[in-house]
Amino acid sequence: MKYISLLGATGSIGMQTLDVIKEHSNEFTLVAFSVGRNIDSAREIINQFSPQLVSVQEKPDYEMLKLEFPHVAFTYGNDGLTEVAVFEKADILVNAVIGSVGLLPTLQAIEAKKTIAIANKETLVTAGHLVMDAVKKHGVALLPVDSEHSAIYQALQGEQTKNIERLILTASGGSFRDRTREELEHVTLKEALAHPNWAMGAKITIDSASMMNKGLEVIEAHWLFSIGYEQIDVLLHKESIIHSMVEFHDSSIIAQLGTPDMRVPIQYALTYPDRLPLGGAKRLNLAEIGKLHFKEMDLERFRCLKFAYEAGKIGGTMPTVLNAANEVAVAAFIEGQITFLQIEDLIEKALSAHQSISNPSLATIQEVDKETRQFVQTLV
Ligand SMILES: NC(=O)c1ccc[n+]([C@@H]2O[C@H](COP(=O)([O-])OP(=O)(O)OC[C@H]3O[C@@H](n4cnc5c(N)ncnc54)[C@H](OP(=O)(O)O)[C@@H]3O)[C@@H](O)[C@H]2O)c1
């Protein structure tokens, strides 16, 4: 039996993690989880999984749930996320919260020697060096949940990093892959949220449409696999069947394929190095599909991806700025305060205004994150 704590249980990845836990209830037990503001779903999860510890974002929700469920321990706020992450009965932390709010709980869970299944890519983007240093120092496993990174992780089983020629991250192209930049001027939130292949949370769906998601993934791959940016390529592949690939020095390429279903990489992270059957997973029938399509990535069309490569290569606090600016800009787009293309304008302004600080401490990252949010908020 593996005991699991889950950050972001009410989100898209969180709910699919719960599906996997439920399906394999003889293998996994949910002992602690966090939610944000979705208290109705929190109640359902408590009733279904009987956890020992639950964290909510707001104090009034905490007060209310404490009275409703006297046999469960409750906590709240950012400290609550950390309490869930380090919950002593848990072996594995699944970090499926959204945004850089996931950083501190991840660092604390690494120190507490938990195995980490990480979906929360913003954590690796904003402070990849701190996370990877902590992973090495405490000797814990950090298992990717993002489908591209899970694919690379799977392709690298039995391989050595020194033999990698390049990583090839595939990109579906998001909701606007067939639109010109001119056509992007007037796109709506509803259109941006209509991803052709994946049903995901709002922020990552917007990030996919702007291609920032792929940019964040490039930085995530740099840290997870210790690979230089010049060895990470992005390839448009609209079917999302090949989840990513690794090319080796001898020109051989290993790819991981499957129908788009996030439960597969979630479950792989939980069962690694073992595999279990997955109910309802649609098996890939290549004969039925017939053709797969690929196209080179245009960095002028998808400027956010270019910003991410540039920020990653500069390093230091530049990726922190990239991530914080993006989080604020996307939230402003969701609120109807700015247009879709203004997301990239705001990120560009934040990056241009920043002088990168090399090898930043946690305190510096937190300060830069805060300042960037204020800067972009003022522009909004
Ligand atoms: N969705 C996917 O298919 C997918 C694929 C690969 C990687 N990822 C990555 O996985 C992470 C989660 O994505 P998602 O799509 O599952 O997001 P989501 O559906 O928006 O869910 C986010 C979760 O975080 C909680 N939350 C948000 N802000 C919070 C805060 N300040 N304090 C505490 N909890 C907070 C939300 O709670 P409430 O809803 O209760 O407010 C919810 O449980 C992201 O980093 C994303 O990039 C997602």
Side-chain angles (χ1 to χ4, degrees):
M1 180 64 75
K2 289 180 181 169
Y3 296 95
I4 294 172
S5 58
L6 170 60
L7 295 181
T10 42
S12 159
I13 293 290
M15 299 291 256
Q16 293 178 84
T17 304
L18 294 175
D19 285 346
V20 169
I21 294 173
K22 198 163 46 185
E23 178 168 347
H24 301 293
S25 55
N26 50 344
E27 306 273 341
F28 307 122
T29 299
L30 182 75
V31 287
F33 72 85
S34 80
V35 305
R37 295 194 164 96
N38 188 345
I39 302 307
D40 286 342
S41 293
R43 285 192 184 94
E44 281 172 31
I45 300 167
I46 294 170
N47 285 327
Q48 207 169 358
F49 291 88
S50 306
Q52 297 170 40
L53 176 68
V54 176
S55 177
V56 296
Q57 201 170 331
E58 305 295 340
K59 193 170 179 195
D61 292 329
Y62 154 83
E63 303 282 6
M64 186 169 64
L65 288 175
K66 241 175 25 165
L67 296 176
E68 285 178 41
F69 299 94
H71 55 288
V72 179
F74 287 93
T75 173
Y76 66 93
N78 290 352
D79 290 347
L81 291 177
T82 298
E83 281 181 57
V84 166
V86 302
F87 188 58
E88 58 169 354
K89 305 257 168 60
D91 311 306
I92 305 179
L93 165 67
V94 179
N95 186 345
V97 75
I98 192 105
S100 59
V101 71
L103 173 60
L104 271 184
T106 305
L107 290 174
Q108 296 287 319
I110 294 169
E111 254 184 54
K113 295 204 181 290
K114 308 292 181 193
T115 294
I116 317 280
I118 189 129
N120 176 234
K121 64 190 80 177
E122 293 88 351
T123 278
L124 281 166
V125 171
T126 204
H129 66 299
L130 296 183
V131 175
M132 298 318 291
D133 284 354
V135 161
K136 273 190 212 113
K137 182 173 167 199
H138 297 283
V140 303
L142 181 68
L143 299 157
V145 168
D146 225 344
S147 59
E148 293 78 359
H149 305 76
S150 175
I152 291 168
Y153 200 81
Q154 293 180 56
L156 285 175
Q157 292 305 304
E159 301 291 345
Q160 294 180 45
T161 312
K162 70 175 169 71
N163 294 329
I164 298 175
E165 182 73 18
R166 61 182 177 134
L167 305 180
I168 306 163
L169 298 180
T170 51
S172 70
S175 322
F176 300 141
R177 68 175 166 223
D178 299 321
R179 301 210 193 189
T180 62
R181 279 196 73 77
E182 293 68 44
E183 287 169 334
L184 293 183
E185 294 279 350
H186 305 292
V187 291
T188 64
L189 174 64
K190 194 170 165 214
E191 290 171 307
L193 287 176
H195 195 289
N197 303 357
W198 301 93
M200 308 183 285
K203 193 240 173 198
I204 184 176
T205 307
I206 307 295
D207 284 348
S208 299
S210 71
M211 208 49 80
M212 180 55 92
N213 183 48
K214 211 48 58 181
L216 301 178
E217 287 177 7
V218 166
I219 299 174
E220 185 184 6
H222 164 78
W223 289 116
L224 279 174
F225 305 109
S226 234
I227 288 285
Y229 287 100
E230 62 294 341
Q231 284 175 279
I232 307 173
D233 285 350
V234 175
L235 182 68
L236 271 172
H237 164 47
K238 68 178 183 184
E239 291 91 355
S240 299
I241 295 294
I242 296 184
H243 298 311
S244 278
M245 307 178 240
V246 182
E247 182 180 348
F248 296 93
H249 292 323
D250 62 359
S251 82
S252 186
I253 291 182
I254 299 185
Q256 188 260 340
L257 288 75
T259 51
D261 183 342
M262 279 309 296
R263 294 176 309 147
V264 177
I266 293 169
Q267 179 170 295
Y268 183 71
L270 294 181
T271 59
Y272 176 82
D274 206 353
R275 292 185 189 260
L276 289 174
L278 180 60
K282 189 170 182 295
R283 287 187 184 277
L284 185 60
N285 184 335
L286 285 174
E288 202 174 80
I289 291 171
K291 276 185 190 162
L292 295 176
H293 296 82
F294 306 96
K295 212 169 142 189
E296 206 167 324
M297 183 59 73
D298 176 353
L299 292 187
E300 291 312 317
R301 162 70 179 75
F302 296 110
R303 292 174 70 228
C304 284
L305 180 57
K306 187 170 77 171
F307 297 157
Y309 268 108
E310 287 168 356
K313 283 178 186 167
I314 293 169
T317 44
M318 213 47 115
T320 306
V321 172
L322 177 92
N323 179 66
N326 183 56
E327 284 192 29
V328 176
V330 170
F333 175 65
I334 291 173
E335 291 299 316
Q337 295 171 304
I338 61 168
T339 66
F340 182 70
L341 285 180
Q342 281 173 329
I343 295 175
E344 53 188 61
D345 292 343
L346 290 172
I347 297 165
E348 190 174 28
K349 286 196 173 102
L351 291 170
S352 310
H354 184 67
Q355 196 71 38
S356 180
I357 303 163
S358 61
N359 200 19
S361 65
L362 179 59
T364 303
I365 283 171
Q366 287 172 321
E367 189 54 34
V368 169
D369 180 276
K370 195 172 141 201
E371 280 171 12
T372 305
R373 283 169 198 270
Q374 284 164 352
F375 176 80
V376 178
Q377 199 59 61
T378 309
L379 295 178
V380 167

